[in-house]
């Protein structure tokens, strides 16, 4: 079952922050985050494992609440290069590679 | 390290024709995925291979789509016959497939299919 992402789209000015949410109705083992720029393939950002782990990647970080089957992606001090569509991907419930499914995406536009 | 290779990059066909896409994953990657991405949507998993075995093909329209990964390396996805609604980008991805390990996926450039 496809996870739900919110918001569907967001527009920011450079330097502003954003949060993208991903939620699932099923138990999860891990959550992936990918970014896809227009006309390009998705690029991996990070994986979060069940256990409530929080990870960071430059000014992009994420958290995973296993009990709520929810993950959030945090973009701080956004840059023009952050523009694109962000997809979460979920798998589980017991291990990697099980029932992998992408969400519908959140379109992020960063303006100068 | 070479990335995931796909060919062709673009293909235009008439409905009811056949088409085949090829994917060569990153060397040593055991897991290979084929996705269909319709404009404005997230990638939809069509089939997942672990080496040369199928792990998940629950969303593959088996009456017209087929895929194989005979030697556990490269893979071919075929559509026969194509319909208008098959117009999409077909993405191939691979991951290490290490048991118990995180499996980030590396994507190829995709094949943009237009069915007229």
């Amino acid at each position: 079952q496809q996870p739900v992402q919110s918001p569907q789209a967001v527009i920011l000015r450079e330097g502003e922050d954003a949060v993208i949410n991903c939620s699932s109705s099923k138990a999860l083992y891990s959550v992936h985050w990918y970014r896809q720029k227009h006309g390009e393939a998705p690029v991996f950002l990070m994986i979060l494992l069940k256990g409530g782990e929080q990870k960071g990647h430059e000014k992009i970080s994420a958290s995973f609440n296993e009990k709520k089957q929810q993950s959030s992606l945090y973009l701080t001090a956004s840059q023009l290069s952050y523009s694109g569509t962000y997809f979460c991907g979920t798998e589980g419930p017991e291990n990697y590679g099980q029932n992998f499914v992408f969400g519908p995406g959140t379109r992020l536009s960063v303006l100068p | 390290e070479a990335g995931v290779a796909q060919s062709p990059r673009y293909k235009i066909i008439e409905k009811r024709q056949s088409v085949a896409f090829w994917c060569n994953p990153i060397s040593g990657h055991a897991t290979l995925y084929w996705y269909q991405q319709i404009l404005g949507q997230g990638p939809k998993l069509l089939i997942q291979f672990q080496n040369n075995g199928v792990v998940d093909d629950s969303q593959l329209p088996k009456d017209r789509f087929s895929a194989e990964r005979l030697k556990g390396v490269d893979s071919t996805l075929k559509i026969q016959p194509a319909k208008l609604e098959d117009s999409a980008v077909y993405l191939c991805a691979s991951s290490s497939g290490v048991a118990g390990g995180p499996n980030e996926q590396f994507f190829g450039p995709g094949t943009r299919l237009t069915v007229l």
Side-chain angles (χ1 to χ4, degrees):
Chain A
Q1 191 166 356
Q2 188 179 45
V4 176
Q5 287 188 236
S6 62
Q8 288 185 319
V10 59
I11 300 175
L12 302 173
R13 292 284 181 185
E14 256 187 307
E16 293 182 338
D17 302 339
V19 180
I20 300 172
N21 301 302
C22 173
S23 64
S24 175
S25 60
K26 63 178 186 179
L28 300 176
Y29 187 82
S30 69
V31 178
H32 298 218
W33 285 97
Y34 293 79
R35 176 171 63 207
Q36 185 176 32
K37 293 184 179 286
H38 182 69
E40 299 179 8
V43 174
F44 170 78
L45 293 176
M46 63 189 75
I47 287 180
L48 299 106
L49 311 179
K50 67 179 182 180
E53 178 175 353
Q54 183 158 354
K55 297 189 72 173
H57 175 73
E58 296 179 344
K59 295 180 181 178
I60 301 174
S61 62
S63 63
F64 178 27
N65 186 320
E66 175 191 352
K67 292 182 179 178
K68 294 184 177 180
Q69 284 92 247
Q70 292 177 350
S71 178
S72 295
L73 186 72
Y74 307 94
L75 300 101
T76 58
S78 58
Q79 306 168 13
L80 295 176
S81 61
Y82 287 2
S83 292
T85 301
Y86 290 77
F87 295 100
C88 68
T90 60
E91 60 190 347
E94 298 174 354
N95 209 336
Y96 296 109
Q98 281 185 319
N99 306 311
F100 189 87
V101 59
F102 276 107
T106 295
R107 180 172 293 183
L108 178 73
S109 301
V110 181
L111 305 178
Chain B
E1 177 180 86
V4 177
Q6 288 188 248
S7 67
R9 292 294 311 277
Y10 305 91
K11 190 74 176 179
I12 301 173
I13 61 173
E14 302 274 338
K15 61 182 179 184
R16 292 187 289 273
Q17 285 187 324
S18 301
V19 64
F21 312 126
W22 175 81
C23 173
N24 192 32
I26 291 173
S27 178
H29 277 193
T31 308
L32 186 148
Y33 310 79
W34 281 104
Y35 292 92
Q36 179 193 60
Q37 187 173 27
I38 292 172
L39 187 64
Q41 298 182 17
K44 172 187 169 184
L45 181 64
L46 294 175
I47 190 166
Q48 176 183 344
F49 292 97
Q50 181 73 12
N51 296 309
N52 59 353
V54 176
V55 173
D56 184 353
D57 64 355
S58 57
Q59 296 196 87
L60 186 73
K62 298 180 184 64
D63 58 334
R64 298 185 301 106
F65 286 65
S66 64
E68 59 183 13
R69 192 183 184 199
L70 293 176
K71 297 183 179 179
V73 181
D74 56 349
S75 176
T76 302
L77 176 70
K78 296 180 181 177
I79 307 175
Q80 182 179 9
K83 294 185 175 181
L84 296 177
E85 58 261 36
D86 297 333
S87 294
V89 175
Y90 290 84
L91 294 163
C92 178
S94 70
S95 65
S96 63
V98 173
N103 284 301
E104 60 264 40
Q105 297 180 32
F106 298 87
F107 284 81
T111 296
R112 183 176 299 275
L113 174 68
T114 302
V115 182
L116 303 175

